[in-house]
Amino acid sequence: MRSLSIELPGLSLKNPIMPASGCFGFGKEYSQLFDLNILGSIMVKATTPEPRFGNPTPRVAETPGGMLNAIGLQNPGLEKVVTEELPWLEKFNLPIIANVAGSTEEDYVRVAERISKAPNVHALELNISCPNVKTGGIAFGTDPEMAKDLTKKVKAVSDVPVYVKLSPNVTDIVKIAKAVEAGGADGLTMINTLVGMRIDLHSAQPILSNRTGGLSGAAIKPVALRMIYEVSQQVDIPIIGMGGIQSAEDVIEFFYAGASAVAVGTQNFVDPFVCPTIIQELPALLEKLGYDHISDCIGRSWKKNEQPAYHRA
Amino acid sequence: MKKELCQVVSNQSIADSIYELTLSGSMVEEMKPGQFVHVKVSSGLDPMLRRPISIASIHKEKSEFTIIYRKQGRGTSLLAEKKPGEFVDILGPLGNGFPVEEASVGSTAILVGGGIGVPPLYELAKQLVKKGIKVITILGFQNESAVFYESKFAEFSETYIATVDGSYGTKGFVTDVLSTKNIGGDILYSCGPTPMLRAIEASSYAPKVYLSLEERMGCGIGACFACVCHVKDDPDGHAYKKVCSDGPVFRAGEVAI
Ligand SMILES: Cc1cc2nc3c(=O)[nH]c(=O)nc-3n(C[C@H](O)[C@H](O)[C@H](O)COP(=O)(O)OP(=O)(O)OC[C@H]3O[C@@H](n4cnc5c(N)ncnc54)[C@H](O)[C@@H]3O)c2cc1C
Ligand SMILES: Cc1cc2nc3c(=O)[nH]c(=O)nc-3n(C[C@H](O)[C@H](O)[C@H](O)COP(=O)(O)O)c2cc1C
Ligand code: FES
């Protein structure tokens, strides 16, 4: 599997495949189905300073090729994550990416400072893009100045590299990406969910009790690809891509767009074995496409002058 | 818990829009009454998410199990088209199930089911009777054409039917049967619409009561926080239970319904 290893700030990944935040909890449930050691990493559920219950149910609604969720950042809180959830993951040989969330700047700083000291946390994912909370979250992710400031403050307290998770709910994602890069971000993760709605035919009311929710799954793949394509050409920091990935072919497409690693979210619910399957299938797909190493695929859609590896041989 | 391609043994309509699907697979070994399976009804994106359906009966000797579902939206409509010999992608068994061990030999158990909440009670009834427990069953349906499994329950339990429009059995709700017939017992198990579960929780038909809840699901295994409910003692706090993995069966009074 040497063809799959990737080095990113803070992260020595044996392969570039990891479950996306919020779609894999803290790993316990999926560990009943397969050995988590085969994963490149795990992006664990968002952590806020205090425990959060989240939004009333219904929190999910199906859409063509996707789903809406309005979980509302439910999580057991910083203390429990640091003393129970993360230590449980130590038995695996996995660099963990901790998803940091909050309502205020202080919240983010508090979580980042403490969680970045956990021995198995090798990077932070700053969640400034959750569309399902009333304060904070996405507000930081839609204003370039706020995003930059917050990145700086979190960088100042974090013991590990900081990746900033971008929201697609903006008119110019490149602007935000450049702002957080200027704020000192070590990498980007993108995209979070797109704000959407479904309305019940009988009640005439939105299906989600939060009314709106974040759209994820195959339906958002083209949006994610376009945004990664645009951003990767304008920044010098690596991107972990996500949004609708279901297969090894999708992974290559994200690398072509400019991602250096990828995360799989919603598809875990459809096929809990999606990550192991992709990891198993990637080497053969790379060989078929004529690449020695998956890194040869990064940004190939816009690096026009480079020939595929088999042309170089 | 495992993910398995289970083969369709039979799939037929047993009442208005109600289908009985029997599948074979090795996951049957692990099944308990009140647990559910998460069914992928199509191999493509339409629809994408799995559908949670209760286990209605378990046949370990044949490695088969049966689920009963109402043809409702896109997912269950596609499920109704499955033919014998075809394979269905199933994740299961999931959830905790009804605690059979809470009923003691020689005691009386009351089973109360409403609509598509009836199926999980059938395997439960079988196991209770086998253990030497007297079972009284009360089933509620919309109308006569929606009634199913009455005779199956009647084989080994005293069985009452209520229909909302009065076209069959007692007119009204299951709680009307419970009250007018003065039914009591040592333990009560129930599954059905939330208003029905609330009514049962609010009365005292038995000292021990267990309720099976429904909630919209994502993962079905406890990872996504889609199906969470508050606990009764802390209805506005951050304590929670997940219907998929802590439930779907809860002791009455454990969670806020
Ligand atoms: C633990 C559990 C056990 C269940 N057991 C049974 C059973 O034995 N027999 C049966 O007929 N039904 C059962 N249901 C309800 C069943 O899951 C829904 O009827 C089914 O998902 C509807 O899918 P659809 O595509 O036909 O409908 P649609 O309305 O098109 O579904 C759209 C979306 O909403 C979800 N959804 C719709 N209704 C429900 C519901 N009542 N509960 C949860 N999610 C829902 C679907 O899963 C899907 O994601 C159970 C639900 C749960 C949570
Ligand atoms: C149920 C659910 C919960 C999520 N929770 C979080 C979260 O806590 N933090 C976060 O940064 N992103 C969260 N996300 C977004 C995903 O990590 C991911 O960015 C998005 O779903 C797109 O990827 P996908 O299409 O593969 O799911 C969540 C997504 C879903 C579906
Ligand atoms: S459905 Fe995912 S936690 Fe229950």
Side-chain angles (χ1 to χ4, degrees), chain A residues 49-132:
Chain A
E50 303 301 330
R52 270 183 69 98
F53 183 82
N55 292 318
T57 58
R59 295 178 171 187
V60 292
E62 201 171 31
T63 62
M67 67 181 277
L68 294 169
N69 90 80
I71 307 295
L73 296 180
Q74 176 153 25
N75 77 93
L78 180 59
E79 181 63 32
K80 194 164 172 215
V81 169
V82 170
T83 57
E84 291 176 33
E85 306 289 359
L86 290 169
W88 182 86
L89 279 164
E90 277 175 31
K91 59 172 144 317
F92 302 99
N93 178 24
L94 281 175
I96 301 296
I97 303 178
N99 191 272
V100 174
S103 312
T104 62
E105 222 170 64
E106 295 74 55
D107 283 354
Y108 283 96
V109 167
R110 215 178 117 198
V111 175
E113 186 163 20
R114 175 117 186 258
I115 214 166
S116 69
K117 293 185 172 60
N120 52 347
V121 169
H122 290 216
L124 301 186
E125 181 181 42
L126 199 57
N127 180 2
I128 56 166
S129 43
C130 179
N132 300 321

Side-chain angles (χ1 to χ4, degrees), chain B residues 217-227 242 244:
Chain B
M217 293 186 177
C219 67
I221 66 173
C224 76
F225 289 99
C227 66
K242 295 170 187 160
C244 69

